[in-house]
Amino acid sequence: MSTFKAPKGTYDLLPPDSAKFLAVREAIAAPLRNSGYGYIETPGFENVELFARGVGESTDIVTKEMYVFETKGGDRLALRPETTAPVLRAVLEANLHKAGNLPVKVWYSGSQYRYERPQKGRYRHFSQVGAEAIGAEDPALDAELIILADQSYRALGLQNFRILLNSLGDKECRPVYRAALQDFLRGLDLDEETLRRADINPLRVLDDKRPEVQKQLTDAPLLRDYLCDACKAYHEEVRQLITAAGVVFEDDPKLVRGLDYYTRTTFEFVHDGLGSQSAVGGGGRYDGLSEMIGGPALPSVGWALGVDRTVLALEAEGIELDIPSVTSVFAVPLGEEARRVLFSKVTELRKNGVAADFSYGGKGLKAAMKAAHRSGARYALVLGERDLAEGVVQLKDMESGEQIAIGVNEIVAELESRLG
Ligand code: HAM
């Protein structure tokens, strides 16, 4: 063991389990690629102000959870705790929104960093696949994203997840509700910090998990009862579109999210087998975010699904993904000359698109065949000294155990035809 360990709240993805993570990322990305979303990648760090303004000065993410550092050049940067604000920053910077083709639809996949108290399902480094549709106000777009997330989870075989849906209103109706909620909260028996939160960001008090707080919130006013006609109609249309698509959801009038940029449609995907860290994904509309970071009005919607938690959800449901072995052919040379000949054949196989691996380190037959089995290869090629003299190689079918000699020069054609 080395002197070092992975930092607290992080873990390494190692083979073979890492294949599950790749498969989950792929399962989430495939429906997006199929629906007009282009791939986007932004840096792992950004100007800290982008998150302070975008995610919200008073959110836990910004006040407690960001990894902030100053560069030698004096810039204040933060490792990204989320990727919606960076994606919008990138789209605005490249003027993609001016190319006359709105919405700009993009998807991303990558690491996020939050200095949270680590526990199962909650890490300081985690991975999301996300999608953002920027520059259009259309309930069908909100519906599209919810339907695609549902499709990803179903493609993975997940069943015990639920979709919670709410509307957070817009700049017309939310302030009215906010004031009403503040009035209500001021009359409760709350500690000082919570009262302060009620002043700055009263909606987040609704999300307080403490039973003594929740007990007092039963009669809290609900945003649902304050929505303006435009928000009501918009929300109803989203509900109808996803219902028509056969996607089951639950109305959750108390759903608030931990980021301040949301307006109107908000949703969360929760999995019932994960204990307290049950949110496997979340998202919603953020019609004001562009203006908050200095851009023009660009109503937008998106989500991010947590890859780590989705893998935990698969485990909770006992789902084994069908991940085919990558290596098709495993080559076993016995002796110096055999190594040279077989190594060049392996290179040729790979160039021809056949996934091949090689027994390195001068292993004997027994240890090399063990490695061949472990690789999951369908065929082994064994080249001994006598074979070499005869210009043949032993081709072993690892499933049936059947073995035949083929000409060294036939290796590529033979394997190509057998593997289709
Ligand atoms: P979020 O709800 O903060 O939203 O994160 C989305 C998902 O990331 C969560 O549902 C969860 O699965 C995963 N996640 C968050 N924190 C952790 C953690 N500490 N450890 C493991 N997994 C975690 C956003 O990030 C928004 N940017 C989503 C969005 C995109 N909204 C609009 N567009």
Side-chain angles (χ1 to χ4, degrees):
M1 205 170 92
S2 107
T3 336
F4 301 103
K5 284 187 165 177
K8 187 173 172 193
T10 73
Y11 63 101
D12 304 304
L13 289 185
L14 305 166
D17 278 0
S18 49
K20 258 195 278 188
F21 282 74
L22 287 180
V24 165
R25 288 191 186 120
E26 183 50 35
I28 303 172
L32 294 170
R33 267 194 231 109
N34 196 35
S35 311
Y37 290 76
Y39 180 66
I40 188 169
E41 202 166 309
T42 60
F45 48 80
E46 297 274 350
N47 190 311
V48 69
E49 272 302 301
L50 173 68
F51 299 113
R53 280 206 244 162
V55 175
E57 295 277 9
S58 72
T59 58
D60 282 353
I61 293 183
V62 168
T63 55
K64 300 184 192 154
E65 297 169 4
M66 275 204 296
Y67 284 86
V68 179
F69 60 100
E70 192 169 317
T71 65
K72 292 197 176 87
D75 294 326
R76 293 233 321 142
L77 303 177
L79 296 185
R80 64 173 173 216
E82 67 102 49
T83 300
T84 306
V87 162
L88 191 51
R89 192 269 307 139
V91 166
L92 292 171
E93 188 173 335
N95 280 322
L96 293 188
H97 61 296
K98 289 188 184 156
N101 195 14
L102 294 176
V104 177
K105 300 208 293 185
V106 288
W107 72 275
Y108 54 87
S109 172
S111 298
Q112 319 292 324
Y113 307 86
R114 294 184 193 174
Y115 191 77
E116 295 200 72
R117 207 157 36 78
Q119 67 177 87
K120 185 159 189 205
R122 187 165 68 196
Y123 310 107
R124 290 181 174 174
H125 166 261
F126 59 97
S127 171
Q128 290 180 342
V129 176
E132 313 291 349
I134 293 163
E137 188 185 278
D138 185 336
L141 202 52
D142 309 38
E144 166 176 294
L145 279 158
I146 294 171
I147 294 165
L148 290 174
D150 182 75
Q151 203 179 315
S152 309
Y153 288 140
R154 301 222 172 267
L156 285 165
L158 287 172
Q159 287 181 342
N160 304 338
F161 68 91
R162 291 178 292 131
I163 302 176
L164 310 179
L165 184 69
N166 194 18
S167 171
L168 289 182
D170 63 6
K171 55 178 186 292
E172 301 301 321
C173 52
R174 177 119 55 106
V176 184
Y177 169 69
R178 194 175 181 275
L181 181 61
Q182 263 169 341
D183 273 351
F184 172 83
L185 294 173
R186 280 188 201 115
L188 302 183
D189 177 22
L190 299 170
D191 59 274
E192 233 167 75
E193 196 191 328
T194 313
L195 282 172
R196 204 165 335 121
R197 185 175 300 156
D199 268 342
I200 308 168
N201 198 339
L203 269 74
R204 285 204 24 254
V205 178
L206 295 179
D207 209 21
D208 199 310
K209 300 282 186 288
R210 291 172 296 176
E212 66 271 24
V213 178
Q214 274 306 323
K215 215 169 49 202
Q216 301 185 67
L217 293 175
T218 5
D219 295 328
L222 293 175
L223 186 44
R224 184 170 61 189
D225 302 323
Y226 287 76
L227 290 182
C228 60
D229 288 346
C231 285
K232 246 188 242 164
Y234 193 95
H235 196 57
E236 198 39 48
E237 183 66 16
V238 174
R239 293 177 76 257
Q240 280 180 20
L241 287 166
I242 54 180
T243 305
V247 171
V248 180
F249 63 91
E250 294 167 24
D251 289 307
D252 182 353
K254 282 198 177 153
L255 177 74
V256 286
R257 307 250 310 120
L259 306 95
D260 279 354
Y261 48 60
Y262 291 111
T263 51
R264 291 194 167 172
T265 316
T266 41
F267 45 86
E268 211 152 78
F269 304 92
V270 293
H271 192 277
D272 292 327
L274 296 186
S276 66
Q277 301 307 308
S278 62
V280 285
R285 226 166 222 287
Y286 46 96
D287 292 342
L289 179 57
S290 173
E291 286 146 299
M292 286 192 247
I293 63 169
L298 274 180
S300 308
V301 57
W303 50 241
L305 310 189
V307 177
D308 309 70
R309 288 188 195 168
T310 304
V311 170
L312 290 174
L314 288 170
E315 286 165 4
E317 288 197 36
I319 298 169
E320 288 287 343
L321 297 179
D322 183 20
I323 299 169
S325 152
V326 253
T327 304
S328 302
V329 179
F330 195 91
V332 177
L334 301 169
E336 280 295 303
E337 182 57 16
R339 190 187 56 177
R340 267 176 232 123
V341 173
L342 213 44
F343 186 71
S344 79
K345 286 296 164 193
V346 162
T347 305
E348 208 179 323
L349 280 169
R350 290 170 175 167
K351 277 188 192 151
N352 283 279
V354 175
D357 201 358
F358 192 76
S359 170
Y360 293 100
K363 285 191 198 65
L365 184 62
K366 207 168 149 204
M369 288 313 285
K370 233 189 199 169
H373 275 289
R374 222 179 297 126
S375 78
R378 178 68 212 279
Y379 295 101
L381 287 168
V382 183
L383 186 60
E385 271 169 27
R386 196 183 316 149
D387 299 320
L388 205 56
E390 291 170 13
V392 297
V393 61
Q394 303 298 322
L395 175 67
K396 181 168 182 175
D397 184 323
M398 301 295 280
E399 269 171 28
S400 66
E402 186 196 331
Q403 184 170 315
I404 56 163
I406 61 168
V408 169
N409 294 330
E410 297 161 34
I411 290 177
V412 178
E414 177 69 25
L415 282 166
E416 272 186 323
S417 96
R418 280 180 182 241
L419 292 163

